[in-house]
Amino acid sequence: MCGISGYIGEKNNSIKIVFNILKKLEYRGYDSSGIATIFNKKILIKKSIGKLVNLKKIILKHQIGSNISIGHIRWATHGKPSRNNAHPHTDATKNIAIVHNGVIENYIELKKKYCINDEEIVSDTDTEIIVHIIKKNYKNDLFSAVRNVLREVKGSYAFALICKNEPDRIICAVNESPLVIGVGDKENFIASDVSAILKYTKKIVFLKNGDVAEIKKNNIIIRDIENNIKNMQIKTIKDENCSYIRKNKYKHFMLKEIFEQPYVIKNILKDVICLNKNKNYENEFKFFKNIIKNISYIYIIGCGSSYHSGLIAKLLFENFANIRTEVDIASEFRYRNPILNENTLVIVISQSGETADTLAALRFAKNKKCKTFAICNVMNSSLSREADKTIFTKCGQEIGVASTKAFIGQLVILYLLVFELSNKKGIINNHEFKKIIVELLDVPKKIFKILKNTKSIINIAEKIKGKKNFLYLGRNLNYPIALEGALKLKEISYIHAEGYAAGEMKHGPIALVDKSMIVVFIAIKKSKVYKKIISNIEEIKARNGTIVLITNEKNIEIKNKSDYVIYIPKINDYLSPIISIVPLQLLAYYIGVFKKCDIDHPRNLAKSVTVE
Ligand code: F6R
């Protein structure tokens, strides 16, 4: 969360460049933003609260020519969204400006140690303390002042700083937060992720933990905190789709991305199945099948929607590939003492590949000598660079903050891994494997069918949009879908929603049920838990709950047990999660639209969660 940008070079429209980079980083947070530049030997700061359009108005008013600037887009951790808390921050004399992504854990101790008075401080942030301390350490060399202070700083950070007395350099430092340098011709750039600067250069330096960099227009030097020069590797990035992504006919990116889901599935399957024509995934599957030979169990780690896809994969791996599989939320996994060793395969799942907790979990697993495998959507992301091997979901950039197509992409990849393994172990034979692939190939058609008939979902959304509490209930493979459906509703419409295992409901949550409670059930006709879920529906009906039922078309026998029905095409139970999630995404979307919520930028959220 939070995005950092920077420019130093020959051009004197650095503010515009830094702003344009921030625009590409807006998915990381959007509660405030700001830019610091050096102009007439002074540091000038422009800040604004809210989305970047507000900052744009300010910078357009003051056209300042400068060839060095740093910028920031914030997602609040310490201090509420306000102009004072927006970055960049400066010391009291406005000599030095800083932008920061991450969390400084010991800023209160540092404040005491360096006797920083409350009167000097204008914000509630952890970041501002650091710039005051750097100023105290400053002896005409920002590079060494930063290194000295970093010896004492605990926490995660990507910093960029400028100093009015040294207008020829930007200083950056990194620990557990991403930052890249874009190497240009007589100019250099910085950004929190690669895609934000690919418009300017494809030559990228990925900063590593402990790096402190001096960036000049013609030169870059990286040192460690002890002042030793570190080797710098410049990578040329290829195959990145830099085209500007538009909403086209869709009102929101989220809707567009929901409608892209059949194509996501088709693309993955096309690449995997036509192995002889298109060897896109061959290496990844080979790697997976090779390492799995010596694996005694799998751990799947993720956050949010990526965690939910992991929950489904656990059931599939155990059921179809007969391999013990644990799933954990990344922020829990890394602070437990999970039993891990070199025979454990840790699969990390992340759309962005930058989620701080998932990255930390990956590093934790690597320290324990586990084999690691990432499922990721964003090429060149930190996770994909650090895992032993990465398989990309290739869904295209997901812009809507609520994950939709990336979740589907993860599921399809996980299904393929499970069945490849199952086939390799002889649990399913080649004929059965082919049959599964044929069934998978049919899934996009089924999703198209749901997408062609959104009217009934829109009608239901309109009727229930005013309700305050929702329960989402499912069993077995559709229990994680209940969690995911509830998550979508919370994110998009700010309605309180809980996902629950339907059988667990009678152990507590049923006390909440009355006619004001909306209960969304997923009941797949051929599933082994179908009869059980019917009983759960009866239990809710008996308590006057309002039931929204997701079930297969032509399943009229339970129509009169529910208040609203959304039909999905017939599908074998084991594949049902891939399509049962689609009406839930649409339901959340349309309720959010009726409530006039900011669909693509829900409050308090960011697309990439780069703080713990
Ligand atoms: C839900 C959502 C989040 C993410 C979570 C993990 O719609 O978008 O819950 O799934 O923040 O993000 P990634 O997958 O980027 O690690």
Side-chain angles (χ1 to χ4, degrees):
M1 342 217 42
C2 300
I4 290 178
S5 64
Y7 174 87
I8 183 158
E10 292 216 310
K11 300 187 180 118
N12 79 343
N13 63 341
S14 64
I15 294 183
K16 188 170 168 212
I17 296 171
V18 160
F19 179 81
N20 285 341
I21 299 173
L22 285 184
K23 258 189 356 206
K24 292 266 179 189
L25 296 170
E26 198 168 16
Y27 72 88
R28 300 173 78 91
Y30 32 79
D31 65 46
S32 58
S33 55
I35 290 178
T37 194
I38 302 177
F39 182 69
N40 280 345
K41 298 185 180 158
K42 278 190 191 144
I43 296 237
L44 291 187
I45 307 264
K46 300 290 167 208
K47 287 186 190 183
S48 157
I49 55 169
K51 291 194 192 158
L52 270 176
V53 282
N54 302 339
L55 182 67
K56 188 175 179 181
K57 287 178 206 150
I58 295 174
I59 58 177
L60 284 180
K61 250 194 250 159
H62 312 90
Q63 302 266 1
I64 299 158
S66 164
N67 65 349
I68 175 169
S69 295
I70 52 173
H72 189 267
I73 181 123
R74 180 169 187 253
W75 184 86
T77 57
H78 291 63
K80 62 182 184 195
S82 69
R83 205 184 167 283
N84 275 358
N85 289 336
H87 298 215
H89 294 287
T90 61
D91 64 292
T93 55
K94 273 200 163 184
N95 267 277
I96 301 169
I98 189 170
V99 290
H100 167 219
N101 170 25
V103 174
I104 308 301
E105 286 165 8
N106 60 338
Y107 76 102
I108 294 173
E109 291 91 313
L110 289 172
K111 181 181 167 216
K112 272 189 206 141
K113 179 173 170 195
Y114 282 92
C115 307
I116 313 276
N117 300 322
D118 283 341
E119 300 79 69
E120 284 178 72
I121 297 171
V122 294
S123 78
D124 305 316
T125 66
D126 48 340
T127 310
E128 191 192 341
I129 304 298
I130 304 301
V131 74
H132 290 293
I133 298 171
I134 289 175
K135 177 65 185 23
K136 285 193 184 240
N137 272 268
Y138 182 72
K139 294 188 185 81
N140 298 319
D141 179 3
L142 185 61
F143 202 8
S144 64
V146 171
R147 284 195 310 273
N148 284 341
V149 169
L150 288 183
R151 287 199 184 103
E152 298 185 81
V153 173
K154 291 199 183 112
S156 59
Y157 51 78
F159 288 125
L161 299 103
I162 53 175
C163 173
K164 72 172 191 185
N165 305 332
E166 304 176 41
D168 63 336
R169 60 180 180 172
I170 298 175
I171 304 297
C172 294
V174 160
N175 184 49
E176 304 288 346
S177 283
L179 196 67
V180 301
I181 303 172
V183 183
D185 181 17
K186 297 187 190 122
E187 59 184 1
N188 290 308
F189 307 81
I190 56 166
S192 295
D193 82 29
V194 181
S195 60
I197 39 177
L198 284 177
K199 179 179 161 196
Y200 300 102
T201 177
K202 304 266 184 296
K203 289 187 189 159
I204 302 292
V205 177
F206 292 94
L207 290 176
K208 299 191 191 76
N209 285 347
D211 284 356
V212 190
E214 174 196 62
I215 302 160
K216 295 187 162 181
K217 82 173 178 196
N218 284 320
N219 196 26
I220 299 166
I221 296 175
I222 301 178
R223 293 179 185 271
D224 63 16
I225 291 179
E226 304 309 327
N227 205 18
N228 304 306
I229 296 225
K230 293 179 84 175
N231 278 340
M232 186 175 80
Q233 244 194 324
I234 302 177
K235 282 196 177 172
T236 304
I237 303 296
K238 292 183 217 131
D239 297 325
E240 187 80 22
N241 180 3
C242 324
S243 63
Y244 179 67
I245 295 166
R246 293 169 199 277
K247 281 188 261 193
N248 300 334
K249 61 178 182 186
Y250 298 95
K251 201 167 164 213
H252 299 101
F253 278 110
M254 181 182 177
L255 189 62
K256 177 174 179 255
E257 287 158 6
I258 292 173
F259 273 75
E260 281 171 356
Q261 294 180 120
Y263 302 101
V264 164
I265 303 172
K266 276 185 175 187
N267 283 344
I268 296 174
L269 292 176
K270 190 181 76 196
D271 280 3
V272 173
I273 292 154
C274 307
L275 279 182
N276 39 0
K277 277 195 220 143
N278 190 342
K279 302 205 172 206
N280 274 342
Y281 281 117
E282 199 181 18
N283 280 339
E284 291 87 336
F285 279 94
K286 242 190 210 162
F287 175 90
F288 181 75
K289 285 192 273 185
N290 271 338
I291 45 163
I292 206 88
K293 280 184 207 147
N294 303 318
I295 292 301
S296 41
Y297 60 94
I298 299 176
Y299 250 105
I300 305 181
I301 311 296
C303 302
S305 299
S306 299
Y307 165 67
H308 295 157
S309 65
L311 287 173
I312 295 169
K314 168 193 162 68
L315 301 176
L316 297 170
F317 271 120
E318 294 191 338
N319 194 41
F320 292 99
N322 198 21
I323 183 156
R324 196 182 127 200
T325 307
E326 306 282 339
V327 197
D328 212 344
I329 296 167
S331 55
E332 289 296 319
F333 173 78
R334 55 184 293 205
Y335 293 110
R336 290 195 293 112
N337 202 3
I339 316 243
L340 302 168
N341 55 44
E342 63 274 23
N343 297 326
T344 316
L345 171 64
V346 172
I347 302 180
V348 281
I349 307 179
S350 171
Q351 187 285 129
S352 61
E354 300 295 348
T355 302
D357 284 315
T358 311
L359 252 177
L362 170 70
R363 290 171 186 156
F364 178 83
K366 288 187 85 166
N367 277 339
K368 301 267 178 184
K369 310 252 178 313
C370 303
K371 310 285 180 304
T372 59
F373 191 77
I375 299 176
C376 199
N377 192 38
V378 178
M379 305 261 188
N380 299 303
S381 53
S382 306
L383 204 72
S384 68
R385 293 197 311 276
E386 293 188 32
D388 294 340
K389 191 83 182 172
T390 300
I391 187 160
F392 290 101
T393 45
K394 299 181 191 166
C395 304
Q397 199 174 343
E398 190 178 62
I399 302 206
V401 164
S403 189
T404 52
K405 62 175 179 174
F407 174 73
I408 290 266
Q410 292 165 358
L411 280 186
V412 175
I413 294 284
L414 286 160
Y415 272 91
L416 290 167
L417 292 173
V418 167
F419 290 118
E420 285 272 0
L421 183 59
S422 176
N423 185 221
K424 185 181 146 62
K425 285 176 129 185
I427 300 169
I428 54 168
N429 61 31
N430 288 348
H431 174 71
E432 287 164 321
F433 181 71
K434 274 191 194 139
K435 213 173 135 222
I436 287 165
I437 296 294
V438 170
E439 283 182 349
L440 262 172
L441 281 167
D442 216 28
V443 170
K445 255 195 256 157
K446 295 180 196 277
I447 298 184
F448 276 129
K449 205 165 172 194
I450 299 172
L451 296 175
K452 269 196 193 137
N453 186 22
T454 52
K455 247 194 198 150
S456 65
I457 300 175
I458 297 173
N459 286 341
I460 297 170
E462 190 173 16
K463 293 206 173 92
I464 60 179
K465 63 177 189 250
K467 299 288 181 180
K468 300 269 184 293
N469 292 295
F470 281 56
L471 262 178
Y472 283 70
L473 302 179
R475 298 181 83 122
N476 197 254
L477 284 164
N478 280 296
Y479 160 49
I481 292 299
L483 298 177
E484 178 64 6
L487 179 62
K488 293 291 90 111
L489 188 73
K490 284 185 256 208
E491 287 178 297
I492 298 306
S493 68
Y494 318 142
I495 294 174
H496 172 242
E498 296 280 349
Y500 237 84
E504 183 66 8
M505 175 199 60
K506 56 186 166 297
H507 299 285
I510 202 162
L512 296 165
V513 175
D514 59 18
K515 68 175 185 318
S516 67
M517 172 71 86
I518 301 287
V519 187
V520 182
F521 274 100
I522 307 141
I524 303 298
K525 186 79 204 268
K526 283 189 185 156
S527 115
K528 62 179 174 200
V529 291
Y530 179 69
K531 290 234 157 65
K532 306 279 167 206
I533 208 141
I534 300 294
S535 308
N536 299 138
I537 292 173
E538 298 283 8
E539 288 156 8
I540 296 293
K541 202 73 222 140
R543 283 153 186 92
N544 294 324
T546 303
I547 293 176
V548 179
L549 177 67
I550 314 286
T551 193
N552 311 97
E553 55 198 8
K554 302 207 177 110
N555 184 15
I556 29 188
E557 67 184 32
I558 49 172
K559 188 169 187 264
N560 52 11
K561 298 190 198 304
S562 57
D563 299 273
Y564 306 101
V565 189
I566 302 172
Y567 288 114
I568 56 172
K570 276 192 187 151
I571 189 153
N572 271 329
D573 181 39
Y574 75 99
L575 287 178
S576 63
I578 315 183
I579 73 164
S580 58
I581 186 55
V582 180
L584 298 183
Q585 295 167 338
L586 288 166
L587 188 66
Y589 171 78
Y590 286 113
I591 292 177
V593 169
F594 282 121
K595 291 191 74 191
K596 299 197 170 29
C597 296
D598 191 346
I599 302 288
D600 287 330
H601 298 108
R603 69 183 182 205
N604 305 337
L605 296 176
K607 185 74 191 147
S608 173
V609 185
T610 58
V611 289
E612 231 195 289

